[in-house]
Amino acid sequence: MPTIAPNLDCIAGSLAERFQKLYGTSPHIFLAPGRVNLIGEHTDYNDGFVMPAAIDFYIWVGVAKRPDRILNVYSEHFAEMVQLSLAALAGPPRKHWSDYVRGVAAVLQAAGRTLSGANLMIYSQVPLGAGLSSSASLEVSTALALMAISEVEFSPLELVKICQRAEHEYAGTRCGIMDQFIAVCGRADCALMLDCRSLEHQILALPDDVCIVICNSMVKHELAAGEYNRRRADCESGVKILQRHLPNMRALRDATLADLQQNQPLLPQRIWRRCHHVVSENQRVLGAAEALRSGDLAGFGRLMYESHASLRDDYEVSCRELDLLVELASTCEGIYGARMTGAGFGGCTVNLIRSEAVDSFQSRVTESYKKATGKTLEVYVCAAAQGARAWQPLVG
Ligand code: GLA
């Protein structure tokens, strides 16, 4: 994975060539970005607040129509071709990359639209399973491709919900709405603060002299999907207990820290810690938005560190390597804040750094991480990017 995103025209051109070789026709091309979440982790499925940005690494889908009802799907990453019949997409998760494609096609059809058969080719710049939302960008880019060749239209918000449903029902993760939302609605040079209950969002410009730097720990924990669903179930148990005293409460979004303190004796210790993370994290997101608006990057950074500590201690979704990366980052020059990003259990940290300090940060953290773990860190310096779209080659 390169640290500087390669030219998008080149990627599109060479994807088109490979598509032509494999299928004998030229494709339409669609792309959807990965994402990094600046703050607001494990809050989206609690009706809370999140602050993601789309990043300039994409999943690309080349597509051409077929005259039958077959989807041929080639994944370049897995060097694997899968054939799906549009007439027989149902079935439980198979724990295979094609679940996302099958899911999106099935949910688009369940929404009452007839899809055309198609040949597809998938190329990913987003590292898979690293917490940068490769799943949502695959869902969204595939959905755009299938909709375009089938001449089917949905609003952006409908598209977001279709992709989320595909992930729930066909991939088996009961994810929130953040990843699909930012993959569709991302804005260049901006983060979004999303209210996951009303789905209203505010666009927050990121300062010019600051870089988003992502450190990939290269650790993947296979238990992630099961643990994710268990965290969600813990939050739901918390809500059920708290509702006895707070009958108007619908989700953890509705609780305050004072509510939690008052009801602490009712909540088993583990559940209390899960709730404490979510309720405090929602406050941190609101504080972080305020800090960004007023140019208080030091304040923003402090909230990132607090978020990480809460994910580590209360929500228990960090791991040794992510903790180490945050610790190492905190000792570097020019850093405002660092935290794990995404679902956790491995994956990446996000770091907010003054632009001129990025090079020294990169070499220092890479070297210390190698010494401490034996692992080779991957570092991505990102720009906040626009959401999913059809590829339009630059003219002239
Ligand atoms: C995954 C899910 C999101 C969100 C994050 C944790 O990325 O897809 O909906 O819950 O984890 O914040």
Side-chain angles (χ1 to χ4, degrees):
M1 173 61 51
T3 51
I4 294 176
N7 179 300
L8 298 187
D9 272 326
C10 289
I11 295 179
S14 70
L15 176 60
E17 263 171 38
R18 296 191 300 274
F19 191 98
Q20 177 83 37
K21 239 188 224 154
L22 182 66
Y23 292 118
T25 45
S26 61
H28 296 284
I29 295 181
F30 297 84
L31 66 163
R35 68 98 188 88
V36 66
N37 190 16
L38 297 182
I39 194 159
E41 217 66 81
H42 289 279
T43 45
D44 60 350
Y45 51 83
N46 290 298
D47 275 3
F49 300 99
V50 292
M51 197 191 293
I55 54 175
D56 53 346
F57 292 158
Y58 300 89
I59 288 192
W60 296 73
V61 177
V63 64
K65 198 164 178 158
R66 289 174 59 91
D68 52 20
R69 306 226 58 225
I70 295 293
L71 296 180
N72 284 323
V73 195
Y74 183 71
S75 159
E76 295 203 297
H77 179 87
F78 293 101
E80 188 182 6
M81 175 72 90
V82 165
Q83 191 169 78
L84 302 167
S85 161
L86 284 168
L89 294 168
R94 296 168 189 165
K95 303 285 166 219
H96 190 262
W97 59 266
S98 61
D99 284 344
Y100 299 104
V101 177
R102 187 170 63 91
V104 161
V107 178
L108 284 169
Q109 295 206 124
R113 307 301 204 276
T114 308
L115 296 181
S116 307
N119 292 327
L120 298 124
M121 181 181 263
I122 300 164
Y123 168 71
S124 179
Q125 289 175 280
V126 185
L128 304 185
L132 301 178
S133 185
S134 53
S135 325
S137 43
L138 176 55
E139 289 150 14
V140 171
S141 50
T142 303
L144 285 184
L146 294 177
M147 284 160 58
I149 51 128
S150 311
E151 290 169 48
V152 161
E153 283 189 20
F154 285 99
S155 70
L157 204 51
E158 285 169 329
L159 172 61
V160 166
K161 289 182 178 168
I162 283 167
C163 292
Q164 185 194 24
R165 187 169 153 206
E167 182 141 352
H168 283 200
E169 294 177 9
Y170 290 81
T173 306
R174 295 179 63 216
C175 62
I177 203 155
M178 167 171 71
D179 299 350
Q180 290 79 9
F181 193 95
I182 193 71
V184 173
C185 303
R187 276 286 188 105
D189 305 320
C190 297
L192 252 63
M193 185 176 81
L194 173 67
D195 177 336
C196 298
R197 171 170 281 168
S198 67
L199 299 185
E200 280 166 9
H201 67 277
Q202 290 171 26
I203 294 164
L204 299 164
L206 293 167
D208 291 340
D209 51 349
V210 163
C211 273
I212 298 173
V213 178
I214 295 171
C215 293
N216 186 346
S217 69
M218 308 304 284
V219 176
K220 262 185 214 176
H221 287 299
E222 293 311 328
L223 74 181
E227 286 296 323
Y228 183 93
N229 288 345
R230 265 194 282 285
R231 292 300 178 284
R232 193 168 173 156
D234 280 354
C235 292
E236 285 161 3
S237 311
V239 170
K240 276 216 183 85
I241 297 170
L242 289 166
Q243 275 170 338
R244 291 187 216 145
H245 290 260
L246 303 162
N248 293 329
M249 180 172 167
R250 280 161 48 207
L252 283 179
R253 151 72 175 274
D254 301 310
T256 61
L257 284 174
D259 290 333
L260 285 188
Q261 296 300 355
Q262 272 160 26
N263 292 290
Q264 187 161 7
L266 295 179
L267 294 162
Q269 224 221 2
R270 190 187 78 233
I271 304 291
W272 188 85
R273 282 190 281 115
R274 305 297 188 242
C275 297
H276 187 258
H277 164 71
V278 173
V279 174
S280 61
E281 184 80 349
N282 276 332
Q283 287 196 346
R284 283 187 286 272
V285 180
L286 296 174
E290 202 41 57
L292 206 52
R293 276 190 219 101
S294 60
D296 175 14
L297 291 175
F300 191 97
R302 267 195 304 279
L303 291 164
M304 290 175 81
Y305 289 125
E306 283 175 23
S307 166
H308 183 80
S310 175
L311 288 157
R312 181 191 61 208
D313 302 337
D314 278 349
Y315 220 63
E316 295 178 285
V317 292
S318 185
C319 64
R320 194 174 63 82
E321 291 84 353
L322 292 173
D323 296 343
L324 175 67
L325 283 173
V326 170
E327 238 174 81
L328 289 173
S330 71
T331 64
C332 289
E333 290 278 310
I335 182 109
Y336 291 110
R339 55 182 287 278
M340 56 154 277
T341 187
F345 313 105
C348 295
T349 60
V350 55
N351 304 268
L352 211 59
I353 307 175
R354 256 206 305 277
S355 308
E356 75 268 10
V358 168
D359 288 347
S360 64
F361 168 88
Q362 183 162 341
S363 41
R364 179 140 183 236
V365 176
T366 304
E367 196 185 309
S368 311
Y369 188 67
K370 178 92 188 184
K371 251 193 214 144
T373 64
K375 293 187 172 66
T376 305
L377 191 68
E378 285 191 354
V379 178
Y380 320 126
V381 182
C382 295
Q386 191 196 329
R389 57 202 187 262
W391 173 249
Q392 307 218 304
L394 290 175
V395 187

